[in-house]
Amino acid sequence: MTATTKNRRPNDLSAFWMPFTANRQFKQAPRMLVSAEGMYYKTDDGRDILDGTAGLWCCNAGHKRPKIVEAVKEQMDELDYAPAFQMGHPKAFELASRLAQLMPGDLNHVFYTNSGSESVETALKIALAYHRVRGEGQRTRLIGRERGYHGVNFGGISVGGISGNRKMYGQMLGGVDHIRHTHDPDRNSFTRGIPAHGAEFADDLEKVCVLHDPSTIAAVIVEPVAGSTGVLIPPQGYLQRLRDICTKHGILLIFDEVITGFGRLGMPFAVDYFGVQPDLVTTAKGLTNGTIPMGAVFATDAIHDAFMTGPENMIELFHGYTYSGNPVACAAGLATLETYEEEGLYTKGQELGQYWEDAVHSLKDVPHVKDIRNLGLIGAIELEGIEGQPTKRAFSAFLKAFEKGVLIRTTGDIIALSPPLIIEKSHIDQLFGTLRDVLTHLD
């Protein structure tokens, strides 16, 4: 135990109302992380914790990466803040250009946000405004998907499909509908990689078009791989079928790549992995490796150029944030992209994909495991729930894993894994060896 990690637990935990946390349980037995480097966190009692979740799906290059740390320090010395309304700074344009070059097709324009939730709100607003500037202002309906997670703001929870995120907050946005999720355990349980069955679920969109008339629909938003709901992999041909239906009816297709972006699937984006180009892409998390809050929405040339009409002195899109393109965030983003490229992290999921897949599926014989799913460097182990006590079994696994030096994430009774892309085979062995021990002795 070092001087930097010893005795750093606060005396009073009451003031901080923690997000997505069982506050009372946590504050009875706090789990305090005080430093991190590479693949590991350090706790306040000096223990190393293997990061099996890349923080919250965001620290794709691992922790305390030198290039990112130095870039942030240097930027703070040079320019801490610059407004993005009616003025700019060089790094915002440099980062946008680098990002546009990274994205395939004509997704050549970047609008900065500060989080995945803000990226979703931005994409939804751009979609609605796009149709209006083109003279199709009747296109106001937005289509999401059951079990979808698109952040926690009102637009995101409206198009999202996780009941726990919606039930407390009233009527949501009007004019929103949902298609089915793609999870089909009867046909696809324990699938390795992309499931074979279920492309026809995309035809739900045609039914929604018949119900509402496609001329009223502005956009469809989906996660290419649904992450926070428990890692739901799209069936073969599903995303292409959605693309075809949207193109047929003049509907914009939005990919929420807040989780899948920046190498999670073994390619820079899910757009690359699946070979399907949407009209808008939302990102955040891995954009700055989790170091500084930042998000970005990618838009096609057609969407961007539709706004560039009228008097040149007029604002084209009445939307933005105080911290859009923050200089320190841009510096972190540039250094993050350099780290990914220099270390080959965009394709690490391909190199380790088979070893990771075999490790995830090695838990098939463990008690209470009822399904396993994987793609790239993502994995999910779905557990049988305890009757009358939903989520308890997985949460117990989370607590026991932490005690044994491994950080996992749970959603419902599903364990979700998304390690930093710098993971090595020895880390995979540690992660799944610990999980096997934990799950084998779980009630």
Side-chain angles (χ1 to χ4, degrees):
M1 185 181 301
T2 67
T4 59
T5 62
K6 186 178 180 181
N7 298 325
R8 290 178 59 182
R9 178 167 297 179
N11 293 324
D12 183 8
L13 306 182
S14 63
F16 180 23
W17 190 347
M18 300 171 68
F20 280 110
T21 297
N23 276 253
R24 291 164 295 173
Q25 188 278 337
F26 175 89
K27 291 170 184 179
Q28 291 172 11
R31 297 171 292 279
M32 292 290 183
L33 306 175
V34 296
S35 66
E37 185 169 1
M39 282 293 301
Y40 291 90
Y41 282 106
K42 182 80 77 175
T43 64
D44 62 341
D45 58 356
R47 296 188 304 118
D48 289 326
I49 305 293
L50 177 67
D51 185 0
T53 60
L56 276 175
W57 311 83
C58 53
C59 302
N60 290 4
H63 301 277
K64 196 181 175 182
R65 301 313 312 274
K67 188 178 288 287
I68 303 171
V69 172
E70 287 306 311
V72 169
K73 289 179 179 178
E74 291 175 8
Q75 186 60 47
M76 288 292 290
D77 282 338
E78 179 182 284
L79 176 65
D80 55 353
Y81 176 80
F85 300 178
Q86 304 292 6
M87 58 191 68
H89 64 90
K91 283 188 174 66
F93 294 92
E94 181 183 356
L95 177 60
S97 295
R98 292 278 300 277
L99 289 168
Q101 292 169 11
L102 194 59
M103 186 67 75
D106 63 345
L107 289 156
N108 293 321
H109 303 276
V110 174
F111 196 103
Y112 290 123
T113 69
N114 306 290
S115 67
S117 293
E118 288 185 0
S119 290
V120 167
E121 304 299 300
T122 297
L124 297 178
K125 290 176 72 175
I126 289 175
L128 293 169
Y130 165 76
H131 289 297
R132 182 158 180 165
V133 299
R134 292 177 60 254
E136 292 192 76
Q138 83 283 355
R139 287 186 180 267
T140 60
R141 192 171 297 279
L142 301 168
I143 309 300
R145 189 167 60 180
E146 294 174 354
R147 293 187 68 170
Y149 180 77
H150 302 292
V152 296
N153 294 338
F154 269 99
I157 61 174
S158 296
V159 295
I162 298 177
S163 61
N165 294 342
R166 297 162 51 90
K167 65 183 180 181
M168 303 292 285
Y169 306 113
Q171 295 301 308
M172 310 291 113
L173 296 183
V176 175
D177 207 340
H178 294 78
I179 58 178
R180 284 178 294 176
H181 61 74
T182 61
H183 189 42
D184 188 356
D186 289 340
R187 293 189 293 173
N188 294 325
S189 62
F190 295 99
T191 290
R192 290 172 172 256
I194 300 176
H197 307 288
E200 70 276 6
F201 288 139
D203 294 333
D204 278 12
L205 182 55
E206 285 283 19
K207 296 177 182 178
V208 169
C209 287
V210 171
L211 175 63
H212 297 296
D213 192 297
S215 68
T216 68
I217 300 174
V220 174
I221 182 168
V222 297
E223 301 160 273
V225 176
S228 294
T229 193
V231 185
L232 307 184
I233 314 295
Q236 295 174 16
Y238 172 85
L239 293 174
Q240 183 61 57
R241 179 64 179 143
L242 281 185
R243 173 71 277 177
D244 293 343
I245 296 170
C246 287
T247 301
K248 172 183 174 182
H249 294 297
I251 299 166
L252 297 183
L253 178 60
I254 305 170
F255 275 6
D256 186 339
E257 290 224 40
V258 172
I259 282 177
T260 53
F262 303 101
R264 181 54 53 191
L265 300 183
M267 302 185 82
F269 298 96
V271 174
D272 304 286
Y273 187 91
F274 292 103
V276 176
Q277 182 174 312
D279 303 289
L280 294 159
V281 177
T282 67
T283 65
K285 292 189 183 292
L287 172 54
T288 61
N289 201 45
T291 55
I292 306 288
M294 192 180 205
V297 176
F298 294 78
T300 61
D301 292 337
I303 291 175
H304 171 268
D305 293 350
F307 290 89
M308 301 301 138
T309 60
E312 291 186 359
N313 64 303
M314 293 295 293
I315 295 170
E316 295 95 1
L317 179 65
F318 282 81
H319 177 68
Y321 303 97
T322 299
Y323 304 106
S324 292
N326 175 274
V328 182
C330 288
L334 285 165
T336 297
L337 297 188
E338 290 174 9
T339 300
Y340 292 155
E341 291 162 5
E342 291 173 1
E343 299 185 13
L345 297 183
Y346 289 130
T347 57
K348 191 70 176 290
Q350 295 180 42
E351 298 168 18
L352 275 180
Q354 190 61 57
Y355 196 86
W356 172 264
E357 179 179 291
D358 290 343
V360 178
H361 284 271
S362 72
L363 300 180
K364 182 177 181 179
D365 65 330
V366 173
H368 310 303
V369 172
K370 72 175 189 178
D371 192 20
I372 291 174
R373 304 180 283 276
N374 73 282
L375 197 68
L377 287 178
I378 306 177
I381 301 102
E382 186 160 359
L383 306 179
E384 297 169 344
I386 299 173
E387 186 174 355
Q389 300 181 79
T391 79
K392 182 176 181 179
R393 178 164 281 143
F395 188 67
S396 296
F398 162 76
L399 294 176
K400 291 181 183 298
F402 190 83
E403 291 173 4
K404 293 179 177 294
V406 167
L407 179 64
I408 61 175
R409 176 154 174 73
T410 64
T411 173
D413 274 304
I414 301 166
I415 295 170
L417 302 169
S418 58
L421 304 179
I422 61 170
I423 194 169
E424 301 293 345
K425 290 181 178 179
S426 60
H427 302 127
I428 295 175
D429 294 343
Q430 179 187 351
L431 174 59
F432 288 99
T434 301
L435 271 177
R436 172 171 285 276
D437 181 46
V438 166
L439 295 177
T440 298
H441 297 94
L442 203 62
D443 293 333

